[in-house]
Amino acid sequence: MKPRHHVCLWIAALAAPALAQGPVTESPAPADKPLTLAGASQSAMLADATEVWVDRPGDGRVWSAGHDWKASFGPRDWAFLPAVGADRPSVELRFALDELRIGGEPLPFRDGEIAVEGRRVTVDRDTVVETYDLEGRSVKQSFVLSTLPTRGEVTVRLDVTTGLQVRQDGAGLVFEDGDVRVAFRDAVARDASGAQVAMGVRCVDGQVELLVPADFVRGARLPLVVDPLLQSLTVHSDTLRVVSPDLSCDPVDGRYLMVWQRNFSATDRDLWGVFCDLGMTPVGSPFAIDLTTASWEQPRSAFKRLGQVHLITAQVSQNAASPYWVGGRLVRHDGTLSSAFDIARDPNGNYDRIVPDVGGDPGSSGSTVFAVVYERVISATDHDILLATVREDQTVTSDIPIDVALSRESAPRISKSNGVGAASTQRWLVSYQRTTSYSGGTEDDLRGAFLSPSGGVLSKFVIANTGDDERSSSPSSPSFADGNGQRTFVVAYERTPRGGGDSNIAAAVVRTDGTAPSAFDLQVMENAGNAAKLQRNAAADCDGWRFAVAYEEQFLVNSADWDVFASTLVYEPSTGQLALVEAHESLSFTFGEEIQPQLAASGAVGGPRLSFGFVLQDRPLYTDPRIVGGVYLGHAPVGGIATRATGCGNLTISHSGIPAAGRTLNVSVTGPVFLGGLLVGLPITLPLPTCIGCTLGVDGTWLQSPFSIVIPNDNSLIGATVAIQGVSLVGGTCLGAGQLSDTLDVTLQ
């Protein structure tokens, strides 16, 4: 039994300071169910054959993408890449204006200045302007001649660099290799009056040649426009797969940023993003974070309140092969993007920098940074864990050592946030694996390090070293600081018995006070009857008090059917134990494959509590993957607010908010309220014999209406029920004047 009298006194005491303040308005609470609108919408939009995206990443070129192609435009050339599928290397055609002749006389031109307006890219080359009109399935290139030094046949010659073979196809050309086909066709010349003529297109000495007949040129009204069309005819057997999702929360605007990887080809992976509201419903359209031919993989995202900016980090390379480096791009809250920049890169290309992760800072003053952790590859048996700090002006300090022992340290992860509160208590937790040898082979144990808000390495320690394999870790953001300024983290990880066996998820408690980490078997704690099921790939975060852990679980032994579940935990400081609040809640459970969950607690960066945004990769019925997102509220599965019919008269009692620790509950009564208010206390059912139809539903304390309370973070209160009833001494029939409202039974979640 819960100490119900303690609950009543607690509500009365805490409500008192808020009596004169009226209701407290919180950000709208998301629905208490996972949502998949974000994933469905982004998949549909990227598959829309009419959509076009344009980006300027700061490399001097404009990049764009349509339904089955992408392209880049520079001062002297442009490149077209047909979509060939995620399992094949990229194919490129690069075109450059080599020669322009009017009546046999050369017309000089220069490298151009690039401009973008909507779906049109223009390159002004002085005597001729190249324009590119972008459509979902094609790019139309035009040469615009506003003046002509003479009148006669116009000859345009383009250098072409490609690995494809070219052949004449009627009045156009086809570049092909097997089932990869790109058509250069439908070329016309037109003048200002609308007159037009079909042009000849042919391949001459490895160049594309376009000819405008002299008769047409002589009678043309300027400007004269030469229009060829480039179109991908490739039909690839698979989609451009979407994988590796992540997200971060901006509490100022009340939005998440969802990011993911899209495999344009086997050698070129792009990054995309979309903003979502706190219910994970998309806000606006998806946008490109990387469209270049560099391969950006395994994106990670974090938010920094100072500057109100997200940092996206990724493992970057050319052709998805070594050398690898860590790249980044800032996404501002208004949707504008910085140029792409290097975060950590070996100038000589000797040592790869791989698998980065990033942590943000919710602080709104002082000097704050992003912390980026990554792995440096020295040899097959010697990997290091390093750190870089990044500011919103793209100032980077890289290759700060965290662990550079002569052994293999790998798979670094960092807290999404270093915690809300005083900078003196803020910490990031970094977790990573160390591979060690024993007589029967090798095993991984988990190591950790605390980082200061400026990126200093404060301490290093062992998180888990039991003799089993401990890997694939995910450290949460920290809890709020306790009365001694100490914070608590949970590290979720995958544990497999030495020598093999089923993996399961464990959770280690790490405290900033130096207490030795303690580990708990989440599968045993859940007691969900799933002891024989494999669990893997955990993600963890903390909203300041509660910890959420999401993970994959195999539905049937040896099957490809994986589902995603989550549990909520709280730390009991008096016992040093973790306690379950909600166990084995399904986030995505279908016949198919749901994998790669990631979490971001809005409370970790100062947003609403008890709200964990999540993303994952979903393959319903083993079809093409998509990225879906939703919200996990992470409170007890039972409880809430129920209404008992106890009223007599015309009083109406209403409420808003969620009755869960850390959330705000508002209650008010309307009607002829005079010398009245609210009764708050123990639930009772006491019919009043002198008042026909009136039932007293509360034995407790008298409070003013409206009343608001922020429910404390006290584990002992979960499951306790309090009752609230409106009372008025006028306008009713009880004793000639009084009236009562219905009663709210509030069970804390």
Side-chain angles (χ1 to χ4, degrees):
M1 293 290 291
K2 294 288 181 182
R4 300 199 301 168
H5 65 283
H6 170 71
V7 175
C8 294
L9 293 175
W10 153 74
I11 288 184
L14 288 187
L19 294 182
Q21 299 175 7
V24 177
T25 302
E26 287 192 314
S27 299
D32 190 10
K33 291 294 179 185
L35 306 176
T36 57
L37 294 175
S41 296
Q42 70 87 359
S43 297
M45 293 197 70
L46 290 187
D48 188 341
T50 66
E51 285 290 335
V52 171
W53 289 268
V54 178
D55 183 37
R56 303 191 79 156
D59 61 351
R61 301 182 72 85
V62 171
W63 292 81
S64 64
H67 175 69
D68 55 3
W69 59 268
K70 70 178 182 178
S72 72
F73 308 93
R76 66 178 60 183
D77 65 1
W78 75 287
F80 183 86
L81 295 90
V84 296
D87 295 327
R88 300 180 60 167
S90 291
V91 172
E92 181 183 87
L93 295 93
R94 188 170 293 270
F95 300 91
L97 180 60
D98 179 61
E99 186 176 50
L100 183 60
R101 289 181 175 270
I102 312 295
E105 295 298 319
L107 185 66
F109 50 85
R110 60 174 174 81
D111 289 351
E113 297 179 0
I114 309 172
V116 179
E117 184 175 354
R119 292 187 173 196
R120 171 170 286 189
V121 179
T122 61
V123 184
D124 188 346
R125 308 195 69 173
D126 195 22
T127 57
V128 61
V129 176
E130 297 181 35
T131 68
Y132 303 89
D133 291 301
L134 313 176
E135 299 295 337
R137 290 188 176 275
S138 64
V139 177
K140 178 184 286 187
Q141 181 182 23
S142 301
F143 300 91
V144 181
L145 297 162
S146 296
T147 61
L148 293 173
T150 185
R151 297 285 181 136
E153 183 182 66
V154 174
T155 304
V156 180
R157 283 200 167 194
L158 305 174
D159 278 333
V160 183
T161 304
T162 184
L164 301 178
Q165 301 297 310
V166 62
R167 64 176 173 84
Q168 198 74 37
D169 182 35
L173 301 174
V174 171
F175 298 87
E176 60 188 354
D177 180 11
D179 60 353
V180 178
R181 301 172 64 216
V182 177
F184 195 102
R185 63 187 186 187
D186 298 338
V188 298
R190 51 189 171 81
D191 71 358
S193 70
Q196 66 180 41
V197 63
M199 292 188 299
V201 180
R202 59 181 182 171
C203 184
V204 179
D205 299 328
Q207 293 184 313
V208 172
E209 184 180 75
L210 306 170
L211 299 174
V212 184
D215 289 346
F216 183 81
V217 177
R218 291 189 187 100
R221 291 181 57 189
L222 299 181
L224 178 66
V225 180
V226 179
D227 268 345
L229 179 74
L230 203 67
Q231 183 177 26
S232 174
L233 304 178
T234 302
V235 179
H236 46 84
S237 59
D238 63 342
T239 62
L240 308 184
R241 296 179 193 142
V242 289
V243 297
S244 299
D246 199 19
L247 77 166
S248 50
C249 181
D250 172 359
V252 181
D253 286 349
R255 297 197 301 183
Y256 287 99
L257 173 61
M258 178 196 296
V259 298
W260 65 93
Q261 173 185 322
R262 188 188 194 208
N263 294 347
F264 184 77
S265 75
T267 55
D268 183 6
R269 287 78 185 260
D270 299 328
L271 300 188
W272 293 80
V274 69
F275 285 109
C276 300
D277 64 18
L278 291 182
M280 286 300 286
T281 299
V283 178
S285 300
F287 56 89
I289 298 169
D290 170 70
L291 282 180
T292 69
T293 50
S295 188
W296 287 56
E297 304 175 65
Q298 301 177 53
R300 291 292 179 262
S301 178
F303 176 77
K304 194 163 77 71
R305 192 183 188 107
L306 195 63
Q308 204 176 342
V309 62
H310 304 260
L311 174 61
I312 313 302
T313 64
Q315 174 181 296
V316 188
S317 65
Q318 292 293 341
N319 299 316
S322 182
Y324 293 97
W325 65 93
V326 177
R329 201 159 185 197
L330 296 167
V331 180
R332 302 179 184 90
H333 71 101
D334 61 1
T336 59
L337 280 74
S338 74
S339 59
F341 58 98
D342 291 346
I343 293 176
R345 186 172 187 173
D346 190 316
N348 301 313
N350 294 329
Y351 302 124
D352 289 339
R353 271 73 168 168
I354 60 174
V355 293
D357 193 17
V358 58
D361 190 327
S364 57
S365 62
S367 178
T368 61
V369 299
F370 290 101
V372 181
V373 294
Y374 53 95
E375 190 176 327
R376 178 176 63 186
V377 180
I378 303 297
S379 69
T381 58
D382 187 2
H383 292 206
D384 300 327
I385 305 300
L386 303 179
L387 165 71
T389 59
V390 180
R391 300 184 184 275
E392 62 267 27
D393 63 0
Q394 298 177 228
T395 300
V396 177
T397 303
S398 60
D399 285 2
I400 302 167
I402 293 178
D403 195 328
V404 293
L406 297 177
S407 53
R408 184 184 175 108
E409 285 76 38
S410 60
R413 295 296 302 273
I414 188 171
S415 310
K416 278 280 183 192
S417 162
N418 56 12
V420 175
S424 60
T425 68
Q426 285 182 303
R427 297 289 185 271
W428 284 293
L429 174 59
V430 179
S431 60
Y432 56 94
Q433 298 163 199
R434 173 175 288 179
T435 303
T436 57
S437 299
Y438 68 100
S439 59
T442 62
E443 66 177 17
D444 292 319
D445 58 50
L446 283 185
R447 303 296 173 114
F450 283 132
L451 306 181
S452 72
S454 62
V457 180
L458 300 175
S459 61
K460 295 186 291 185
F461 44 86
V462 175
I463 295 175
N465 183 13
T466 63
D468 293 334
D469 257 336
E470 290 111 357
R471 58 179 61 189
S472 301
S473 64
S474 175
S476 73
S477 300
S479 69
F480 295 130
D482 63 19
N484 297 316
Q486 303 302 318
R487 296 181 184 255
T488 303
F489 297 78
V490 162
V491 181
Y493 59 95
E494 182 181 316
R495 182 164 62 190
T496 306
R498 176 184 285 188
D502 291 347
S503 60
N504 65 297
I505 300 303
V509 174
V510 180
R511 296 265 297 164
T512 56
D513 61 6
T515 304
S518 53
F520 301 85
D521 189 317
L522 186 60
Q523 196 173 61
V524 172
M525 293 177 66
E526 291 176 337
N527 191 26
N530 297 296
K533 294 188 176 182
L534 272 67
Q535 297 175 334
R536 65 184 187 186
N537 291 343
D541 208 359
C542 177
D543 70 351
W545 180 54
R546 298 192 186 191
F547 300 90
V549 177
Y551 53 89
E552 303 169 18
E553 184 175 272
Q554 191 178 45
F555 180 63
L556 295 173
V557 176
N558 298 323
S559 77
D561 187 351
W562 290 83
D563 304 305
V564 173
F565 293 89
S567 291
T568 308
L569 307 154
V570 291
Y571 175 67
E572 300 278 8
S574 60
T575 62
Q577 300 291 305
L578 284 176
L580 272 173
V581 176
E582 183 173 54
H584 204 252
E585 174 71 14
S586 171
L587 298 186
S588 186
F589 184 85
T590 66
F591 185 72
E593 182 184 59
E594 295 89 43
I595 57 175
Q596 300 177 352
Q598 298 293 338
L599 292 173
S602 60
V605 287
R609 303 282 304 286
L610 278 176
S611 180
F612 298 87
F614 70 85
V615 290
L616 54 91
Q617 178 187 312
D618 178 30
R619 291 181 60 218
L621 299 176
Y622 308 103
T623 55
D624 297 327
R626 62 179 186 168
I627 304 302
V628 303
V631 177
Y632 172 55
L633 294 185
H635 54 61
V638 296
I641 301 177
T643 302
R644 277 188 289 137
T646 59
C648 59
N650 298 310
L651 293 183
T652 301
I653 191 168
S654 59
H655 61 89
S656 63
I658 297 175
R663 298 302 291 264
T664 299
L665 179 65
N666 301 306
V667 181
S668 62
V669 63
T670 57
V673 179
F674 179 73
L675 297 177
L678 294 165
L679 285 176
V680 180
L682 299 176
I684 61 172
T685 301
L686 180 64
L688 300 178
T690 57
C691 302
I692 305 289
C694 295
T695 300
L696 186 64
V698 181
D699 177 12
T701 303
W702 182 278
L703 297 176
Q704 187 174 332
S705 173
F707 114 94
S708 299
I709 185 170
V710 178
I711 300 171
N713 295 324
D714 186 337
N715 301 338
S716 67
L717 300 176
I718 296 173
T721 300
V722 297
I724 307 174
Q725 186 175 28
V727 178
S728 176
L729 300 183
V730 298
T733 59
C734 183
L735 299 179
Q739 55 182 326
L740 301 173
S741 75
D742 288 340
T743 300
L744 300 179
D745 290 326
V746 180
T747 301
L748 301 184
Q749 296 176 295

